[in-house]
């Protein structure tokens, strides 16, 4: 069940009304309803994957208690590794087995051996990377004595399976979400309205910006050999807008939906395309994953405590693993590597935290230095996105080579370019609104709040009508595949 | 909570009215299919692919067979080859009170073929995922089902006064209205023939299942009136491709005609005397002649 589907438009109001009218009197009732709704939501993709989700939930619930109860550090470690091994084992089988088998056979053939290997004909269970990391953070926090185990299975299962975040995050932390799950929620008008507003902006990003860009991205990337360098640059820009609109739009819808149920989820995006350097970009892009890797990989590896070379090594590991997390393809690994390379100068010069505040805070326009920083960062990100989007490395290199050819200086021309004007205007308006609202949690959070109610609602009406009139062909969310 | 629900409800009502008004702007210029899913249930139907959609004009038939009230419910080779989805849609479009309906089933080799790898697996028929398979209700206006599931452009296209040389008329006839000179006609024929030879001829395969569904469609419609099979004229060069594709096509149709007791009118004798927009589709002026001939033939059969 996609957020941008008719079935979700029916599902959400039904669950909302049951939650606040039937189950509102008891915490138990609220959580049981959320769990049933979440399993229904997940099962609507493929009910067979539900068993995997329930097994994964039970595994972490059980090992979590065992970790807590273990009397020695050694026993705690055994339970921790059991959980990690099984969790990553599932992820490995479903997501990475075919990649490793093919890569291993490929490596052997390079040294003259021929290896037959078999591939698994399995479909990747939707959201497996997200809920696996979700569960892992819980057992790791328990192991590090940051939290106490949740002994109520229903509460824990809601923490793992809460439907707004189940298939594409944000990757929650037990320290943040569990306290909200074990506390009865009361309806709050302002929180619910804020949720609807955030959902509205998310739908706009997804259905208007991302889905319309997708049409051109698919065509340009599929037929890249026949297009000029300038067209390929434009194709990459469209992809940047697509992937941002798609994933940050999904996150906004997820956060907004959760607010309707009285739950606040972690922020996942903070206007990354206004970042002035790569370090800032990564503090603003897919924040829940970046901080996950920081807390559960970078810091345990030693972080920056072991000197410069240790920091560099750890930073490269984090980016490579992050790339690999996105998919079993060398393109993602190169994408991660590129970002690590971009990050390196900042690390060496101790400038990773030179841009912490949002750009041009309290001002309308950025300074020339800020503008330059944003443009350079955006260009670097665009280049790395070629690898993120290409079907394989060969395609990515051919695409790049074509960009850096004389045709870069020709006028872009692609299928359907005569109809591009409405989309170009929409993208412009979109970035203008994002710029205006860049100091808030999401772009339209505060826009119009001081206006007369009728005017404010007219703004929301305009946005809904824009979604209705300009929505592109329905596309699945990109991050579902991860 | 009450305030929240009340505000959301009012907002939703305003939105739904706006959506409704936008959808009401959809008309015969919206696309070549929409209007057919908005007209009431019908009692005399013209069925087939785009050859029939463009080639058979209900108004001409009505003038020869008064009171018939023909409706053209033909689409394209993608949407409406004979098969389960089309039959299902026909059942929905047909007024079940009909007793003396007239049903003209246009047949051509492509209407009993499939471009799926397995031409006999109905699950692979592409019309399942097109308007004909995705529109569960075929007689409401505005048709939300069609516009949401099958309309393939953003809805802002519905807002301005639409200009189009392709107009779907109220009786379901697809009126392709453009001026044509002999040079342009030759170019269009060349292009279409080339496309059929390079693409369709290679990709399509005869389908026993579709042929079976042609028979099922005939049998079903016979419960509501008389059924007639017609093979429309096509340009001689297109005819060559048709014959190359299914050489015994005519034989197959005659066999069905005999088995089901359905008269069959092979109009290929008119191939040379008709004007076409592209070799595959009959030009609107020639369409009048062809429709009149069909009307006269049916009138003759009914005497």
């Amino acid at each position: 069940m996609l957020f941008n589907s008719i079935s979700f438009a029916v599902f959400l109001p039904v669950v909302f009304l049951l939650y606040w009218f039937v189950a509102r009197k008891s915490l138990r009732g609220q959580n049981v309803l959320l769990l049933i709704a979440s399993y229904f939501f997940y099962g609507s993709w493929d009910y067979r994957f539900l068993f995997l989700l329930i097994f994964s939930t039970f595994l972490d619930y059980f090992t979590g208690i065992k970790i807590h109860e273990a009397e020695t550090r050694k026993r705690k470690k055994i339970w921790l590794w059991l959980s990690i091994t099984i969790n990553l084992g599932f992820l490995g089988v479903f997501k990475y087995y075919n990649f490793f088998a093919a890569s291993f056979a490929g490596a052997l053939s390079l040294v003259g051996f021929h290896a037959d290997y078999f591939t698994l004909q399995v479909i990747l269970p939707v959201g497996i990377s997200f809920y696996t990391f979700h569960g892992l953070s819980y057992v790791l926090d328990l192991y590090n004595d940051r939290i106490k185990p949740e002994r109520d299975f229903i509460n824990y299962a809601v923490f793992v399976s809460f439907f707004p975040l189940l298939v594409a995050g944000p990757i929650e932390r037990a320290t943040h979400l569990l306290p909200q799950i074990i506390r009865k929620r009361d309806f709050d008008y302002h929180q619910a309205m804020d949720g609807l507003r955030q959902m509205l902006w998310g739908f706009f990003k997804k259905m208007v910006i991302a889905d319309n860009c997708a049409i051109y991205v698919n065509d340009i990337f599929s037929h890249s050999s026949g297009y000029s360098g300038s067209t390929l640059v434009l194709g990459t820009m469209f992809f940047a807008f697509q992937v941002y609109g798609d994933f940050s739009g999904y996150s906004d819808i997820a956060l907004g939906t959760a607010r309707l149920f009285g739950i606040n989820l972690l922020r996942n995006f903070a206007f990354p395309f206004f970042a002035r350097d790569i370090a800032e970009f990564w503090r603003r892009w897919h924040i829940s994953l970046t901080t996950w890797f920081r807390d559960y990989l970078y810091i345990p590896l030693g972080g920056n405590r072991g000197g410069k070379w240790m920091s560099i090594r750890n930073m490269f590991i984090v980016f490579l693993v992050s790339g690999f997390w996105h998919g079993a393809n060398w393109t993602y690994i190169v994408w991660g590597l590129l970002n690590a390379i971009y990050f390196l100068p900042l690390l060496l010069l101790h400038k990773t935290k030179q841009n912490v505040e949002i750009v041009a805070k309290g001002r309308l326009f950025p300074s020339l230095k800020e503008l330059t920083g944003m443009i350079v960062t955006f260009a670097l990100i665009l280049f790395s996105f070629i690898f993120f989007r290409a079907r394989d490395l060969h395609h990515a290199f051919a695409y790049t080579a074509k960009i850096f050819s004389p045709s870069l200086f020709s006028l872009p021309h692609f299928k359907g370019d005569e109809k591009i004007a409405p989309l170009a205007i929409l993208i412009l308006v979109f970035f203008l609104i994002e710029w205006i609202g860049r100091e808030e949690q999401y772009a339209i959070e505060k826009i119009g709040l001081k206006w007369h109610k009728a005017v404010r609602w007219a703004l929301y009406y305009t946005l809904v009508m824009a979604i209705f009139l300009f929505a592109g062909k329905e596309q699945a969310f990109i991050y579902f595949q991860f | 909570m009450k305030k929240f629900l009340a505000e959301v409800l009012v907002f939703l009502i305003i939105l739904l009215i706006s959506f409704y008004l936008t959808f009401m702007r959809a008309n015969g210029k919206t696309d070549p299919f929409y209007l057919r899913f908005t007209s009431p249930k019908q009692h005399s139907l013209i069925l087939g692919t785009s050859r029939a959609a463009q080639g058979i004009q209900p108004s001409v038939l009505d003038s020869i067979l008064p009171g018939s009230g023909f409706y053209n419910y033909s689409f394209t080779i993608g949407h409406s080859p004979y098969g389960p989805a089309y039959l299902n849609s026909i059942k929905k479009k047909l007024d079940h009170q009909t007793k003396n309906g007239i049903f003209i089933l246009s047949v051509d080799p492509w209407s009993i073929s499939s471009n799926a790898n397995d031409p006999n697996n109905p699950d692979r028929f592409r019309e399942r995922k097109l308007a004909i398979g995705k529109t569960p209700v075929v007689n409401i206006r505005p048709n939300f089902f069609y516009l949401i599931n099958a309309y393939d452009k953003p809805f802002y296209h519905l807002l301005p006064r639409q200009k189009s040389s392709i107009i779907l008329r109220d009786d379901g006839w697809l009126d392709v209205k453009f001026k044509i000179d002999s040079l342009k006609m030759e170019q269009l024929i060349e292009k279409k023939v080339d496309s059929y030879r390079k693409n369709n001829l290679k990709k399509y395969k005869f389908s026993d299942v579709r042929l079976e569904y042609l028979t099922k469609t005939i049998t079903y419609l016979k419960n509501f009136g008389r059924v007639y099979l017609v093979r429309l004229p096509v340009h001689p060069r297109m005819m060559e491709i048709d014959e190359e594709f299914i050489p015994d096509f005519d034989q197959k149709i005659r066999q069905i005609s005999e088995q089901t007791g359905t008269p069959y009118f092979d109009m290929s004798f008119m191939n040379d005397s008709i004007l076409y927009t592209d070799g595959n589709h009959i030009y609107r002026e020639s369409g009048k002649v062809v429709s009149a001939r069909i009307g006269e033939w049916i009138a003759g059969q009914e005497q």
Side-chain angles (χ1 to χ4, degrees), chain A residues 245-316:
Chain A
D246 191 282
F247 193 25
S248 74
Y250 175 90
S251 299
D252 279 338
I253 300 167
L255 268 74
T257 306
R259 279 200 185 123
L260 289 178
F261 296 92
I263 292 171
N264 291 311
L265 299 180
L266 287 171
R267 192 185 190 189
N268 222 10
F269 286 85
F271 311 100
F273 288 157
F274 301 143
R276 287 148 291 181
D277 59 48
I278 286 294
E280 188 187 9
F281 176 84
W282 279 106
R283 281 193 298 275
R284 297 182 176 280
W285 179 274
H286 203 174
I287 300 165
S288 67
L289 182 72
T290 312
T291 50
W292 197 101
F293 280 123
R294 181 196 65 200
D295 295 345
Y296 301 111
L297 189 62
Y298 183 73
I299 292 173
L301 282 171
N304 54 7
R305 296 188 302 270
K308 194 174 280 180
W309 292 112
M310 183 73 103
S311 323
I312 293 170
R313 184 203 71 171
N314 294 342
M315 186 268 290
F316 268 87

Side-chain angles (χ1 to χ4, degrees), chain B residues 180 185 233-235 270-271 274-279 281-283:
Chain B
I180 198 158
M185 190 184 283
V234 284
H235 190 275
M270 292 176 77
N271 284 354
I274 295 294
L275 289 177
Y276 305 92
T277 55
D278 57 6
H281 302 108
I282 297 167
Y283 187 54

Side-chain angles (χ1 to χ4, degrees), chain B residues 96-110:
Chain B
H96 289 197
Q97 304 300 318
T98 305
K99 289 193 177 103
N100 287 310
I102 302 177
F103 305 101
I104 300 171
L105 273 64
S106 160
V107 287
D108 60 62
W110 314 97

Side-chain angles (χ1 to χ4, degrees), chain B residues 83-100:
Chain B
Y86 194 30
L87 178 55
N88 199 24
S89 194
I90 292 166
K91 285 178 181 174
K92 286 175 187 161
K93 194 69 192 176
L94 185 68
D95 180 351
H96 289 197
Q97 304 300 318
T98 305
K99 289 193 177 103
N100 287 310

Side-chain angles (χ1 to χ4, degrees), chain B residues 246-259:
Chain B
I246 305 180
D248 60 345
F249 171 76
D250 216 45
Q251 209 177 313
K252 286 185 198 301
I253 300 299
R254 284 189 194 285
Q255 207 173 339
I256 288 179
S257 163
E258 280 166 24
Q259 281 167 359

Side-chain angles (χ1 to χ4, degrees), chain A residues 193-214:
Chain A
M193 274 299 174
D194 191 43
L196 284 182
R197 219 172 5 248
Q198 189 160 11
M199 287 175 75
L200 175 59
W201 190 237
F203 279 119
F204 181 83
K205 286 195 225 180
K206 163 65 182 159
M207 295 171 75
V208 177
I209 302 299
D211 288 355
N212 278 306
C213 285

Side-chain angles (χ1 to χ4, degrees), chain A residues 16 20-21 187 189 192-193 196 422 453 457 460-461 464-465 468-470, chain B residues 1 3-5 7-8 11 14-15 18-19 22-23 148 154-156 159:
Chain A
F16 177 84
W20 290 117
F21 283 100
F187 184 78
Y189 171 84
M193 274 299 174
L196 284 182
K453 201 168 193 174
W457 282 81
Y460 303 147
Y461 172 82
V464 179
M465 285 308 287
F468 173 69
L469 293 173
F470 293 97
Chain B
M1 174 58 99
K3 185 184 170 195
F4 176 81
L5 287 179
E7 286 180 353
V8 170
F11 191 63
I14 295 169
L15 283 175
S18 308
F19 296 167
T22 309
F23 283 156
I148 291 168
F155 292 136
Y156 75 85
L159 289 182

